[in-house]
Amino acid sequence: MVVAELYRAYHRPLLSFVVRLTRGDVQWAEDVVQETMVRAWRSADRFDADASSLMPWLATVARHIVIDDQRRKDARPHEAGEGPLESVPMPDQMEDLLRQVVVSDALDSLSPAHREILNETVLRDRSVNDAAEALGIPVGTVKSRAYYALRALRVALEERGVTA
C-alpha cells in the first residue's frame, strides 16, 4: 500500500517534471514515472521517515532514468520504419548467378590457350604487352589469340542462348 500512496501523492507533480525533461514526450514520461515508482518501491526501506517530501529524491531518480534512456538511444543508430524499405527494389541475385554459371560453362568450352589468354587480358586486366610477358609468348600471338578467343566465346555464349 505504500506504493499506492506514493503514486497518489507524487504522480502528477513527478509526471509534470518528467514531461519537461522528455521535451513533451508524454509516453516516455509515463514510462519514466513508472520506472521511478518501481525503484521507489524497491528502496522503500531506505526512505527517511522524517523527510517532509520525497519529491527531491523521486525527481533525481527520474532525471537519471531520462539521462540513461537518452544515452542508450544515442548509442544506437536511429531506427527506420519499414515503409521505405518495402519499396526499395532488390536486385535479383538469381539472374546474376545464372549469368555466372552460363559464362563459366562457356569459358570451360574454350581451348586451354583461349581460356588462358582471356584470363590474362580480360579477367586480370593486363595489357597485351604484360600478358605476352606473363605467358612468355610474342605480342602478336597474344593479339591473335585474344581475337579468336573472343570470337569463340561469343559463339559459345550464343549456343547457350546469350545474345548481346
Side-chain angles (χ1 to χ4, degrees):
M1 286 307 202
V2 173
V3 176
E5 291 174 28
L6 188 68
Y7 190 82
R8 266 192 301 277
Y10 293 106
H11 176 260
R12 285 188 186 271
L14 186 59
L15 182 61
S16 176
F17 172 73
V18 176
V19 166
R20 287 192 304 272
L21 290 178
T22 60
R23 294 182 205 91
D25 188 337
V26 178
Q27 185 176 6
W28 181 19
E30 285 283 354
D31 291 343
V32 170
V33 169
Q34 184 177 15
E35 178 63 25
T36 304
M37 292 298 174
V38 168
R39 291 184 188 185
W41 174 66
R42 288 181 184 155
S43 303
D45 59 328
R46 292 184 274 167
F47 287 146
D48 183 7
D50 297 332
S52 61
S53 174
L54 292 177
M55 190 60 190
W57 184 86
L58 293 171
T60 302
V61 170
R63 187 173 152 273
H64 286 285
I65 292 170
V66 170
I67 290 168
D68 290 346
D69 285 352
Q70 192 59 50
R71 285 181 182 159
R72 195 172 13 263
K73 287 178 186 174
D74 290 344
R76 293 175 44 199
H78 294 287
E79 296 177 9
E82 292 192 24
L85 295 178
E86 291 172 354
S87 63
V88 174
M90 293 295 295
D92 187 7
Q93 294 175 345
M94 185 58 77
E95 192 69 33
D96 290 339
L97 179 62
L98 289 173
R99 189 176 303 117
Q100 288 174 357
V101 168
V102 169
V103 170
S104 177
D105 186 48
L107 283 170
D108 286 343
S109 72
L110 300 180
S111 70
H114 285 167
R115 273 196 312 271
E116 183 180 52
I117 204 71
L118 290 177
N119 184 43
E120 293 297 321
T121 57
V122 177
L123 298 177
R124 292 190 179 175
D125 197 27
R126 289 187 172 162
S127 67
V128 172
N129 291 336
D130 291 341
E133 186 178 322
L135 296 173
I137 57 177
V139 172
T141 304
V142 170
K143 288 180 181 179
S144 67
R145 278 190 193 167
Y147 173 79
Y148 288 110
L150 286 173
R151 281 183 58 184
L153 180 62
R154 185 176 299 119
V155 169
L157 287 171
E158 286 174 357
E159 288 173 356
R160 288 159 179 78
V162 178
T163 56

